[in-house]
């Protein structure tokens, strides 16, 4: 069957098809805890290939309801978002062009901004190299910045270490090109009420799409607006609350973060921030032994407007100490210098004990003097709270902390023998004010299920990445996942948080969306899916109509 399907598609595809065991095995996994083998893998050469693939799906879906398309870029998703038993489309082989990087002066608090146009298969690391040549940056990059691709950032509405001040990917997408279920490519961008009125008046597939979305959101206007999670970041559900405010209609807000369930993005246009505006940086590091002080520390820090406010826990620091050489080999041109740089931390642990949480507060300003002034003032304020601090005024001095924060997940995957990373509670968020109560209860759940895990995250947002290590080949270990997940998400929702701030829903969290948002809002999500994709062509089983039993049955065993 796979061979026949591949041969039929290859007749019209200018790119390649693959169905060999090695390829299918590779595409059966991403960075999640799932293993789902696709039927075939397609490597579209251009948007014309994508259009033809969608048309093929539409014409054959009635005869074979199992057919579907799941878009994939770098495969770094931690939720199982691009995994499917049908057809995977990989964009990194061919659709990986950076089409433009340029200047666009926008009056936004006096800041100059740039723009870039890119295809979904562009690796962020390559994208950033090109934007930095012009003095610009897309600041919503995730911790996997050296591995991820643009398509995944758009699909998941990614955020990361700079989201505290700069926001997530949907804040930077100004236009998209998308292939919808009719197999045609459309340019999607914000429009005002008058432009929307004219669009709806047309008699086209596109106009009908816009009309139905606008009617749904207008009919449920107050319900939709009230459904927005009361946290600084959210990737759960469809972003229906930022599409229509009765002045502007912006479908990009809905498509970004939709995990390829509404259409296939073939190109994205981003606005970029200028790195020339604030070229100097420095960091204040806080070693916290008493979690009850978190809220006071956050309240003291945020008025100083740090560009990043990150953290990692004692489990992560122990991992760093244990696998120190692994960190320095990855990140240091002179490994021995970074080893020496860690000596103060070793001494601190020996003399004062392991801190519960290490906080990294980074500032970016126009001058070195401005950076130093903020750091010194904040250090004095925090010392009055009785916490230990360390100043890192250069990028070299801050490198060891960023090494731990950014690379701990990858080292977990590589270094711990016989155990695997199992990201099933990996992206929770609550308001920082709740953290003194929330974190001890979160730790208690981990202890109850005897989970070995690390916690790192964006403490300024109250967003934490909890990565357990498990022996997934053992049924007793797999049996912990669902009950532990239930308890953690019950806790998150008790504190009015979101089950995913950045990583999105995929296979692992989609079954919890009705619990998080309620039946009325969940029904709106289902109607959105039906408007865009009535045949269920695009990445089914994600966002709506998910099946937890299916997900649990497809947890990888090795």
């Amino acid at each position: 069957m796979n061979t026949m399907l591949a041969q039929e598609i290859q007749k019209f595809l200018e790119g390649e098809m693959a169905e060999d065991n090695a390829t299918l095995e590779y595409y059966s996994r991403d960075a999640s805890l799932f293993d789902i083998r696709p039927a075939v893998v397609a490597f579209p050469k251009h948007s014309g290939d994508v259009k033809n693939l969608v048309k093929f799906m539409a014409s054959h879906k009635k005869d074979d309801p199992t057919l579907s398309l799941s878009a994939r870029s770098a495969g770094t998703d931690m939720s199982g978002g691009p995994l499917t038993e049908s057809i995977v489309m990989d964009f990194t082989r061919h659709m990986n062009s950076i089409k433009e990087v340029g200047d666009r002066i926008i009056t936004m608090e006096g800041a100059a901004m740039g723009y870039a146009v890119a295809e979904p298969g562009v690796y962020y690391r390559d994208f950033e190299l090109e934007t930095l040549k012009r003095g610009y940056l897309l600041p919503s990059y995730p911790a996997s910045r050296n591995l991820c691709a643009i398509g995944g950032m758009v699909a998941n509405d990614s955020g990361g270490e700079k989201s505290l001040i700069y926001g997530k990917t949907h804040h930077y997408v100004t236009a998209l090109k998308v292939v919808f279920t009719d197999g045609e490519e459309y340019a999607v961008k914000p429009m005002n009420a008058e432009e929307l009125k004219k669009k709806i008046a047309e008699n086209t597939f596109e106009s009908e799409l816009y009309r139905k979305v606008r009617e749904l959101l207008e009919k449920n206007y107050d319900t939709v607006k009230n459904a927005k999670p009361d946290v600084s970041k959210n990737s759960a559900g469809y972003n229906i609350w930022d599409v229509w405010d009765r002045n502007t209609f912006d479908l990009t807000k809905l498509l970004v973060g939709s995990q390829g369930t509404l259409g296939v993005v073939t190109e994205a246009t981003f606005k970029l921030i200028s790195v020339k505006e604030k070229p100097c940086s420095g960091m204040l590091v806080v070693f916290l032994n008493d979690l009850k002080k978190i809220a006071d520390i956050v309240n003291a820090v945020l008025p100083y407007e740090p560009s990043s406010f990150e953290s990692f826990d004692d489990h992560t620091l122990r991992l760093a100490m244990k696998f120190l050489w692994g960190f320095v080999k990855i990140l240091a041109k002179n490994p021995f210098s970074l080893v020496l740089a860690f000596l103060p931390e070793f001494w601190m642990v020996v003399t004062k004990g392991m801190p519960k949480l290490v906080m990294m507060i980074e500032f970016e300003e126009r001058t070195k003097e401005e950076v130093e002034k903020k750091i010194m003032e904040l250090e004095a304020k925090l010392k009055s709270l009785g916490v230990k601090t360390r100043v890192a005024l250069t990028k070299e001095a801050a490198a060891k902390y960023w090494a731990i924060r950014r690379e701990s997940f990858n080292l977990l995957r590589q270094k711990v023998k016989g155990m695997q990373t199992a990201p099933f509670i990996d992206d929770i968020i609550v308001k920082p004010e709740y953290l003194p109560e929330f974190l001890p209860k979160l730790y208690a759940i981990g202890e109850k299920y005897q989970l070995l895990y690390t916690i790192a995250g964006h403490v300024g947002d109250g967003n934490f990445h909890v990565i357990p290590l498990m022996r997934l080949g053992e049924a007793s270990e797999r049996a912990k996942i669902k009950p532990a997940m239930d308890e953690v998400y019950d806790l998150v929702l008790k504190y009015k948080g979101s089950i995913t701030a950045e990583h999105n829903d995929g296979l692992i969290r989609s079954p919890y969306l009705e619990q998080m948002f309620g039946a009325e809002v969940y029904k709106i999500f289902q109607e959105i899916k039906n408007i865009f994709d009535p045949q269920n062509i695009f990445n089914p089983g994600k966002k709506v109509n998910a099946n937890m039993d299916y997900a649990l049955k497809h947890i990888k065993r090795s």
Side-chain angles (χ1 to χ4, degrees):
M1 175 63 91
N2 292 4
T3 299
M4 291 175 61
L5 179 62
Q7 288 175 345
E8 196 168 353
I9 292 174
Q10 191 64 76
K11 292 175 184 177
F12 62 79
L13 197 77
E14 290 191 29
E16 301 80 37
M17 298 292 296
E19 51 162 339
D20 60 282
N21 284 332
T23 299
L24 298 184
E25 182 68 21
Y26 178 81
Y27 287 93
S28 69
R29 296 188 177 189
D30 53 8
S32 71
L33 72 166
F34 298 110
D35 189 335
I36 299 176
R37 189 180 177 92
V40 293
V41 180
F43 301 90
K45 201 165 189 177
H46 43 61
S47 61
D49 272 353
V50 178
K51 291 161 63 175
N52 288 331
L53 277 165
V54 174
K55 289 174 182 175
F56 177 86
M57 290 291 108
S59 63
H60 288 74
K61 185 74 173 178
K62 286 183 181 178
D63 297 327
D64 186 356
T66 66
L67 285 177
S68 66
L69 287 171
S70 294
R72 176 177 174 132
S73 293
T76 58
D77 183 81
M78 297 172 72
S79 72
L83 301 184
T84 178
E85 293 185 63
S86 191
I87 300 173
V88 172
M89 291 182 295
D90 185 317
F91 290 105
T92 58
R93 181 177 292 187
H94 297 301
M95 295 183 66
N96 54 15
S97 297
I98 303 170
K99 295 186 174 181
E100 288 183 68
V101 179
D103 303 305
R104 181 179 293 160
I105 307 302
I106 299 177
T107 304
M108 181 183 283
E109 299 176 357
M113 302 192 81
Y115 75 94
V117 183
E119 291 180 314
V122 175
Y123 285 96
Y124 177 79
R125 59 180 182 258
D126 299 327
F127 180 85
E128 186 180 273
L129 284 174
E130 291 303 311
T131 63
L132 287 177
K133 288 177 184 177
R134 300 294 295 265
Y136 296 115
L137 179 73
L138 177 61
S140 61
Y141 59 81
S144 59
R145 62 189 293 181
N146 292 322
L147 303 171
C148 71
I150 290 297
M153 291 178 64
V154 172
N156 284 339
D157 191 16
S158 292
E161 63 199 38
K162 292 187 179 294
S163 295
L164 178 64
I165 190 168
Y166 291 112
K168 295 177 64 188
T169 298
H170 77 265
H171 294 102
Y172 295 90
V173 172
T174 60
L176 295 168
K177 286 186 179 178
V178 187
V179 177
F180 289 129
T181 191
D182 66 335
E184 298 299 330
E185 185 181 55
Y186 296 92
V188 179
K189 60 183 180 180
M191 54 182 65
N192 59 37
E194 188 60 33
E195 290 170 328
L196 177 62
K197 185 178 179 181
K198 290 179 181 178
K199 174 65 71 176
I200 289 175
E202 298 171 4
N203 186 25
T204 64
F205 172 89
E206 185 185 22
S207 65
E208 185 72 357
L209 197 68
Y210 279 63
R211 182 186 65 77
K212 287 180 177 178
V213 173
R214 188 262 181 197
E215 283 184 357
L216 177 64
L217 298 182
E218 182 61 36
K219 176 184 174 183
N220 299 280
Y221 191 83
D222 291 336
T223 298
V224 167
K225 293 299 180 184
N226 292 331
K228 186 173 184 178
D230 188 22
V231 285
S232 61
K233 295 184 294 185
N234 172 67
S235 282
Y238 289 122
N239 181 6
I240 53 178
W241 29 85
D242 290 333
V243 179
W244 172 237
D245 64 1
R246 293 178 171 160
N247 292 306
T248 302
F249 185 86
D250 187 357
L251 215 54
T252 69
K253 295 292 192 289
L254 180 60
L255 293 166
V256 174
S258 63
Q259 283 198 309
T261 60
L262 306 179
V264 181
V265 172
T266 54
E267 181 185 284
T269 301
F270 304 92
K271 62 184 178 183
L272 309 171
I273 66 168
S274 171
V275 295
K276 298 175 184 176
E277 296 289 322
K278 297 180 177 181
C280 299
S281 65
M283 180 185 291
L284 180 64
V285 184
V286 176
F287 303 95
L288 186 62
N289 291 314
D290 184 358
L291 294 177
K292 294 178 182 178
K293 296 180 179 180
I294 287 181
D296 290 337
I297 292 172
V298 172
N299 289 335
V301 170
L302 292 183
Y304 287 86
E305 298 183 335
S307 59
S308 302
F309 189 2
E310 299 292 287
S311 67
F312 52 86
D313 72 340
D314 52 345
H315 299 138
T316 311
L317 186 56
R318 284 191 183 92
L319 179 79
M321 298 301 183
K322 184 174 182 180
F323 299 117
L324 180 61
W325 192 245
F327 279 103
V328 299
K329 283 197 298 184
I330 291 171
L331 296 156
K333 292 179 180 177
N334 181 354
F336 293 101
S337 67
L338 195 52
V339 170
L340 290 173
F342 270 99
L343 289 179
E345 279 66 39
F346 277 111
W347 182 246
M348 177 188 67
V349 169
V350 170
T351 58
K352 302 269 178 92
M354 186 75 69
K356 287 286 186 184
L357 204 67
V358 179
M359 298 180 173
M360 305 154 54
I361 308 159
E362 187 169 69
F363 295 97
E364 294 174 345
E365 302 295 342
R366 294 177 185 273
T367 66
K368 186 183 294 187
E369 289 73 23
E370 289 178 279
V371 172
E372 291 182 8
K373 184 174 184 292
K374 281 193 171 184
I375 286 177
M376 298 311 166
E377 287 182 5
L378 180 58
E379 184 182 31
K381 182 170 287 190
L382 293 181
K383 281 187 174 178
S384 70
L385 296 174
V387 296
K388 183 175 177 56
T389 61
R390 185 164 293 142
V391 175
L393 290 177
T394 65
K395 289 184 177 179
E396 292 75 19
K400 60 184 175 182
Y401 302 108
W402 281 123
I404 298 172
R405 171 64 186 89
R406 291 170 176 161
E407 296 297 327
S408 57
F409 176 67
N410 285 330
L411 279 175
L412 271 175
R413 296 169 73 186
Q414 297 166 15
K415 295 289 185 181
V416 181
K417 301 292 184 181
M419 304 185 80
Q420 297 167 281
T421 53
F424 60 90
I425 46 174
D426 50 284
D427 190 36
I428 53 180
I429 181 171
V430 298
K431 281 187 169 182
E433 65 199 63
Y434 297 131
L435 291 178
E437 290 182 28
F438 176 84
L439 282 177
K441 293 177 181 178
L442 178 64
Y443 284 125
I445 295 172
E447 291 174 8
K448 175 180 177 180
Y449 291 97
Q450 298 180 321
L451 298 176
L452 172 63
Y453 59 91
T454 63
I455 296 181
H458 319 290
V459 67
D461 289 304
N463 174 204
F464 288 91
H465 304 306
V466 186
I467 311 292
L469 275 172
M470 305 182 78
R471 301 184 188 279
L472 293 175
E474 299 178 6
S476 59
E477 284 283 273
R478 297 194 302 275
K480 297 177 181 179
I481 291 174
K482 177 67 164 56
M485 200 161 32
D486 288 345
E487 289 197 38
V488 169
Y489 290 158
D490 284 347
L491 180 66
V492 169
L493 298 180
K494 176 183 176 181
Y495 284 92
K496 303 174 184 178
S498 169
I499 60 177
T500 176
E502 304 168 338
H503 293 176
N504 220 287
D505 300 308
L507 288 167
I508 194 66
R509 280 177 287 272
S510 292
Y512 291 89
L513 290 179
E514 185 169 359
Q515 178 188 353
M516 177 173 167
F517 288 100
E520 185 177 11
V521 174
Y522 184 74
K523 185 179 178 182
I524 295 173
F525 291 162
Q526 290 178 311
E527 290 184 52
I528 286 288
K529 172 67 171 177
N530 192 54
I531 288 170
F532 281 87
D533 187 20
Q535 288 186 276
N536 207 22
I537 289 170
F538 299 123
N539 208 16
K542 323 291 167 54
K543 292 291 186 183
V544 297
N545 307 320
N547 187 314
M548 178 56 80
D549 288 339
Y550 177 87
L552 295 175
K553 286 176 183 175
H554 286 83
I555 294 173
K556 59 190 176 185
R557 302 293 195 266
S558 61

